[in-house]
Amino acid sequence: MDPLVVAALDRRASDGVPFRARAHHTHHTWAHTFSSRPELYIQPRTLAEIEKVVDLARTCRKRLTVTGCGHSPSNMTCTSSWLVNLDHFNTVHAVDQETGIVVVDSGIRLYTLCDELDRHRLAMPNLGSINEQSIAGAISTGTHGSSARHGLMSEDIVALKITLASGETLSCSATERPDLFRAATLSLGALGIITQVTIRATPAFKLQWTQTIDTDYKIFEAWHDELWKQSEFVRVWWMPYSRRAVVWQADKTDRPESPPRYNWFDGSIGYHIFHNLLALSHYIPSILPTVERFVMGMQHGFRNGSSFSAVQTSGQALLMNCLYSQYVNEWALPLHRGPEALRRLSSWLNHLTPEDPDYVPHNIPISADGLYVHAPLEVRVSDTSITTSPRPYLDPTVHDGPTLYLNATLYRPYHLDPLCRERFYAGFEHLMHEMGGRPHWAKNFTTTRVENEIMFGKGLEEWRRVRRECDPEGMFVGPWHRERVLEDGPRLAFEEVEVRRQKGKDGSVLMHGEV
């Protein structure tokens, strides 16, 4: 351990507050896309321990980064300085079954929170695709669900407590320090350490869901009138090569639980078959259209109109299996532009000509010759404009109506980087820019600080103002923030900068930084 840190700890030996830190830890994202070797890996268990970590970091001039499960595939949580994990800071402090108001420590994972809510016959009003994240990590990156009747998960946050670089822990809400609240509900980890979350739960509910595979033409026809309004929760998976789509829709029900039909391909056999086909496509990319047709057919049905249903608890029905290591590039754009976006991607990827009835000019100035991508693309919707909660300053959703999310996932079978990534994401992002989209902060987008200034405008300016007030010397910022959200200017006193990258043994990009 750094002698400066040892000396600082010795001076505080009588305070009785533990400093739970260890060296020689390797951090990696869930997808093993990025990794880093922090000087110290710290797992506090109380607020006093968190405040001591911040105090020591300020004394010893260390950057602090907070991580949970590392599900974001970006390098946002990578550091060579001090990495703080709050998995052991996860107490449920209060549950009011009548009002649904729940107070928890910020490190609690969503699956633990959902289990605790279920014991009180409560549930999260809305969930994303997984429940592995900490509650603080989910709201800090703009996690959303699959519903035009809900917005970001942060809309259900009533209040927060956050420990700033000064070591002071402040409370904030819609009425108490509202500017801090709007910045912290999508903080990107750059304001301080969120320590406590007050959330509004709802009575526990079950969902009756139906999943149907059919031509993408049918979803385009139903897009503006029926598709997104037919149920409370709706999500779509679009298959570009077979030009089909799976529509999943769910509504609350009092019917008894009924598990989904048995499909042997959805188990370990199908998991490994798909994984190995993806690995083979690394060497023979041209098989990917056939892989799409085969795997999606085995999972959802080869016949258009194939459908099946189930009744499950909300905590089961809303989740998905993310399968394998992956890159994810997701953008938010106006919902009404969805058919145009998908048709243009289809024309580009399938090299359609005007003779094809699905042809539209794609206007993507990047060649798709020899380009083969993974499927499906995930298509979801939310509507933050209907919430009464203050919108986060960095909210990427449309301000005056429903938002479409297009998610282009590229798998990394056995941690092999997909050959199509650079060209596909360049074309995909060109289209998203042209259609007025904005990136999901947690994903693998490439937009720069200047581009984000244009896209987020006044919201980014206000977020920066609050961030400067909370952390003027940059204790909580690093290379990811400098590239994407920090204002142009000199390096901050505690800011970590990237000094080099190398390939890690697990296939990740190993980041090296310095303060």
Side-chain angles (χ1 to χ4, degrees):
M1 190 178 291
D2 185 339
L4 181 63
V5 178
V6 174
L9 282 170
D10 287 343
R11 290 194 296 272
R12 294 164 174 80
S14 62
D15 64 11
V17 179
F19 182 65
R20 306 178 198 271
R22 60 183 171 88
H24 310 298
H25 174 82
T26 298
H27 165 71
H28 57 75
T29 61
W30 171 85
H32 287 252
T33 43
F34 290 94
S35 61
S36 62
R37 294 173 182 152
E39 177 187 334
L40 289 179
Y41 181 67
I42 308 167
Q43 291 188 296
R45 299 187 178 187
T46 65
L47 176 60
E49 291 180 40
I50 291 174
E51 291 175 340
K52 181 171 183 173
V53 168
V54 174
D55 182 47
L56 285 167
R58 187 174 60 255
T59 300
C60 303
R61 304 187 65 79
K62 305 292 183 179
R63 179 201 174 191
L64 291 178
T65 305
V66 183
T67 187
C69 70
H71 200 267
S72 170
S74 77
N75 62 322
M76 187 190 302
T77 58
C78 289
T79 182
S80 295
S81 192
W82 288 6
L83 185 65
V84 179
N85 173 268
L86 300 180
D87 280 352
H88 300 305
F89 185 67
N90 59 358
T91 300
V92 177
H93 292 282
V95 178
D96 189 322
Q97 193 168 337
E98 291 187 7
T99 64
I101 299 299
V102 181
V103 182
V104 297
D105 285 336
S106 60
I108 192 168
R109 297 290 186 96
L110 290 180
Y111 58 80
T112 303
L113 175 58
C114 288
D115 287 346
E116 183 67 25
L117 293 177
D118 188 62
R119 282 192 282 272
H120 294 273
R121 296 190 294 280
L122 295 171
M124 298 285 288
N126 190 21
L127 282 172
S129 297
I130 66 165
N131 62 359
E132 298 292 324
Q133 314 104 305
S134 67
I135 182 66
I139 62 175
S140 293
T141 51
T143 297
H144 61 91
S146 312
S147 175
R149 302 182 198 176
H150 300 273
L152 302 180
M153 279 184 60
S154 60
E155 73 181 10
D156 298 308
I157 303 303
V158 177
L160 295 172
K161 288 186 179 179
I162 182 170
T163 301
L164 307 183
S166 64
E168 183 181 14
T169 300
L170 299 180
S171 300
C172 60
S173 67
T175 55
E176 181 184 16
R177 301 185 181 91
D179 286 359
L180 177 58
F181 187 66
R182 292 185 66 187
T185 45
L186 211 164
S187 70
L188 304 178
L191 274 65
I193 301 177
I194 295 174
T195 55
Q196 191 176 91
V197 179
T198 302
I199 189 166
R200 184 185 297 105
T202 192
F205 60 95
K206 290 178 290 186
L207 289 173
Q208 179 174 350
W209 58 262
T210 300
Q211 184 169 287
T212 306
I213 188 168
D214 217 320
T215 64
D216 60 9
Y217 175 80
K218 288 194 174 181
I219 70 164
F220 297 150
E221 286 293 294
W223 193 280
H224 300 292
D225 297 321
E226 178 187 357
L227 179 62
W228 304 106
K229 302 173 185 176
Q230 59 189 326
S231 295
E232 180 172 353
F233 299 94
V234 180
R235 57 184 177 227
V236 172
W237 293 274
W238 176 65
M239 291 157 273
Y241 296 117
S242 53
R243 304 194 213 177
R244 300 206 297 168
V246 174
V247 178
W248 183 93
Q249 61 186 90
D251 287 295
K252 292 173 183 173
T253 183
D254 292 325
R255 294 182 60 186
E257 291 183 43
S258 174
R261 70 174 189 188
Y262 173 74
N263 181 347
W264 66 269
F265 197 83
D266 284 336
S268 61
I269 295 176
Y271 177 93
H272 291 295
I273 289 174
F274 190 21
H275 202 186
N276 284 289
L277 287 172
L278 288 169
L280 180 61
S281 74
H282 183 79
Y283 305 98
I284 314 174
S286 60
I287 69 169
L288 280 170
T290 301
V291 171
E292 174 195 298
R293 296 183 182 99
F294 170 70
V295 172
M296 296 300 109
M298 292 297 294
Q299 288 181 333
H300 307 291
F302 290 95
R303 181 177 56 84
N304 288 336
S306 297
S307 178
F308 61 95
S309 302
V311 177
Q312 295 178 299
T313 65
S314 61
Q316 294 172 314
L318 293 173
L319 301 182
M320 293 168 43
N321 186 344
C322 291
L323 296 177
Y324 323 111
S325 171
Q326 58 194 240
Y327 290 106
V328 186
N329 200 338
E330 183 175 6
W331 285 62
L333 64 157
L335 178 62
H336 70 272
R337 304 207 70 177
E340 178 190 352
L342 294 177
R343 287 181 187 275
R344 288 174 65 178
L345 282 171
S346 180
S347 288
W348 180 53
L349 293 172
N350 291 310
H351 309 281
L352 300 187
T353 64
E355 290 72 33
D356 193 297
D358 286 340
Y359 168 80
V360 295
H362 59 74
N363 297 326
I364 297 175
I366 296 164
S367 172
D369 291 343
L371 178 66
Y372 297 96
V373 305
H374 299 165
L377 273 74
E378 187 182 51
V379 186
R380 292 191 286 165
V381 66
S382 73
D383 193 346
T384 314
S385 68
I386 61 176
T387 181
T388 57
S389 300
R391 296 176 70 128
Y393 286 129
L394 294 182
D395 182 356
T397 61
V398 177
H399 279 208
D400 56 357
T403 296
L404 173 71
Y405 292 92
L406 286 186
N407 181 339
T409 294
L410 294 175
Y411 293 113
R412 304 176 65 242
Y414 302 105
H415 298 147
L416 295 169
D417 281 350
L419 301 177
C420 60
R421 178 166 64 110
E422 184 174 341
R423 199 154 38 119
F424 178 44
Y425 279 176
F428 179 74
E429 290 197 13
H430 174 87
L431 179 61
M432 294 298 99
H433 275 290
E434 193 174 286
M435 303 197 74
R438 298 198 286 187
H440 187 310
W441 291 108
K443 311 303 184 181
N444 295 111
F445 62 93
T446 61
T447 57
T448 63
R449 170 183 53 81
V450 174
E451 291 171 311
N452 289 327
E453 286 173 345
I454 296 170
M455 288 188 287
F456 288 89
K458 184 68 174 177
L460 179 54
E461 292 179 15
E462 290 299 304
W463 182 86
R464 286 171 170 173
R465 174 183 61 79
V466 177
R467 204 217 66 76
R468 286 193 299 269
E469 294 170 358
C470 293
D471 180 25
E473 295 187 295
M475 179 184 290
F476 295 98
V477 298
W480 187 94
H481 301 96
R482 173 59 67 184
E483 292 170 5
R484 290 165 178 83
V485 291
L486 291 188
E487 56 267 58
D488 189 23
R491 176 179 175 180
L492 302 175
F494 288 71
E495 179 184 346
E496 184 175 5
V497 297
E498 182 182 324
V499 292
R500 73 180 186 279
R501 296 184 176 193
Q502 69 185 83
K503 201 67 173 178
K505 293 180 180 179
D506 60 354
S508 64
V509 175
L510 181 60
M511 311 290 295
H512 296 270
E514 67 176 12
V515 176

